[in-house]
Amino acid sequence: MTNGDTTAGDRIDDLLPRAGTGPLSGQVVVDFSRVLAGPYSTMMLADLGATVIKVEGPRGDDTRHWSPPVREDDATYFLSINRNKYDIVLDFSDPEDLEVARKLAARADIIVENFKPGGLAKYGLDYESVTQTSPVPNPKVIYASVTGFGAHNALPGYDLLVQAMSGFMSITGSPEGSPYRAGIAVFDVITGLHTAIGVLAALQHKNTTGEGQLVETNLMSSAMSGLANQSGAYAAAGVTPTRMGNAHPSLYPYQPMSTKSGELIVAAANDGQFATLAKVLGRPDWLSDDRFAEAKARNAHRAELEPELLEALAQHTAQEWFEKLTATGLPCAPINTIAEGVERAKDLGLDPIVETGQGERVIPTIRNPIRLSKSEVAYDLAPPELGADDERVRAWIDTL
């Protein structure tokens, strides 16, 4: 149901139905976002039951063209972040299409956009216009605006730029090598999650007070937050972290280590775990060595401890040590490929792949990580083809 309009709410259920009883069932999200941060957040909302209407330009979301890899003719990048959405193509330079966009904004419970700062104002689709001066003002809308560097900074909002400017790349990679980016657009994803959290917080406020509000997130602030202990080290102690390869600045051993065959992640995050490691490796003498027995000393003397660790680990393969150490409860892990990681998640009973959609268009996607005991996550809509739901969305608009 949208903005208290029972007729419109019932009609959208007829024309744009969602399966299940997710906690966001009945909430209509108009998604003006593109690429990753915005679409990731709206997919999270859609998984939780919201009716998400994805608005694309005539060429479609950029990620439709980011390939390889592909599944048949679809870029897997687009497929991975756009399930459970309805799709309409609107050209904002066309007056009739712009009118449809404004009608959508006027009836939305939630709007998500990630245009350049001020980019929607010329179309009358910015927060002030939608809530105050639109042909049908929507003052109760929750309007989430995602930017690269804040609403008043016009710098292009690319994840790679933020990885560089935030300091993330300065702590990623070998100390002797070049700075590295992450293997994913990490701050786009984190910002998408922050946006979804902000929307849910605003929705709770609206449920309590009846008030909508503007929710603002940006990649740079999400990076500052996501850097956690690293940015916190500078904030609290003036310490500027540096690249340490796979080593941890505060824990040792907590990194990949070579074995007789292959590398193994060894994680001794406290003195008790290190004691277990020492015993399993046949080196209980480390526990009576003042250089190694306690965490602070181990950090200071890691250069002396490392060759002894590697000598002990060389007695068995990574898989053999994984079995031996896991049996004692010590955290450790093999370094898998993505394929091996997914298969391992299957072995653990996590069911990481779920088929999304019905009928002729069913797409395997990665399962939403949230499990709810009372209201299940839904996977009823496959990632949409461009403009697949134009007629149905326009039919719903015509009922308003």
Side-chain angles (χ1 to χ4, degrees), residues 115-167:
F115 279 66
K116 292 179 181 178
L120 285 178
K122 63 182 177 181
Y123 301 114
L125 292 171
D126 58 307
Y127 177 67
E128 287 74 16
S129 297
V130 169
T131 57
Q132 299 174 21
T133 62
S134 174
V136 182
N138 185 0
K140 294 186 178 181
V141 73
I142 294 168
Y143 189 110
S145 181
V146 184
T147 59
F149 297 90
H152 303 294
N153 296 301
L155 292 169
Y158 287 89
D159 181 274
L160 182 58
L161 303 184
V162 176
Q163 289 194 35
M165 294 178 70
S166 67

Side-chain angles (χ1 to χ4, degrees), residues 101-125:
R102 288 173 174 169
K103 286 182 177 180
L104 284 172
R107 290 295 183 265
D109 297 300
I110 299 162
I111 293 173
V112 178
E113 64 89 10
N114 62 352
F115 279 66
K116 292 179 181 178
L120 285 178
K122 63 182 177 181
Y123 301 114
L125 292 171

Side-chain angles (χ1 to χ4, degrees), residues 355-374:
E355 290 192 335
T356 304
Q358 307 170 56
E360 296 182 0
R361 187 169 172 81
V362 177
I363 307 293
T365 61
I366 294 297
R367 182 181 294 276
N368 188 302
I370 300 170
R371 301 289 179 99
L372 298 170
S373 65
K374 300 294 185 181

Side-chain angles (χ1 to χ4, degrees), residues 299-343:
N299 277 323
H301 296 280
R302 60 177 69 192
E304 295 125 279
L305 178 56
E306 184 154 325
E308 297 189 33
L309 272 168
L310 293 175
E311 181 181 8
L313 289 167
Q315 304 305 308
H316 297 287
T317 68
Q319 181 60 35
E320 289 168 342
W321 280 124
F322 174 67
E323 293 170 1
K324 290 175 181 291
L325 294 171
T326 299
T328 69
L330 189 75
C332 63
I335 300 175
N336 289 332
T337 64
I338 295 292
E340 290 168 337
V342 172
E343 294 303 316

Side-chain angles (χ1 to χ4, degrees), residues 1-2 6 11 70 72 96 99 133 152 155 160 224 226 243 264 268 284 297 356:
M1 185 181 301
T2 58
T6 303
R11 193 70 176 130
V70 296
E72 298 178 352
E96 292 184 2
E99 182 63 19
T133 62
H152 303 294
L155 292 169
L160 182 58
M224 294 293 98
R243 288 193 301 285
L264 181 74
T356 304

Side-chain angles (χ1 to χ4, degrees), residues 190-262:
I190 291 176
T191 304
L193 292 172
H194 286 168
T195 302
I197 292 169
V199 166
L200 295 177
L203 184 59
Q204 174 61 15
H205 177 84
K206 181 178 178 179
N207 289 339
T208 302
T209 67
E211 299 172 333
Q213 62 182 298
L214 175 65
V215 176
E216 294 181 289
T217 59
N218 68 82
L219 272 65
M220 189 67 167
S221 293
S222 285
M224 294 293 98
S225 175
L227 282 164
N229 59 299
Q230 299 285 34
S231 53
Y234 179 76
V239 173
T240 301
T242 58
R243 288 193 301 285
M244 298 180 64
N246 286 315
H248 192 286
S250 308
L251 303 173
Y252 187 83
Y254 196 90
Q255 64 194 64
M257 306 205 80
S258 297
T259 67
K260 184 178 181 180
S261 175

Side-chain angles (χ1 to χ4, degrees), residues 288-301:
S288 57
D289 190 320
D290 290 341
R291 297 172 300 168
F292 308 145
E294 296 183 352
K296 186 174 182 179
R298 278 196 303 280
N299 277 323
H301 296 280

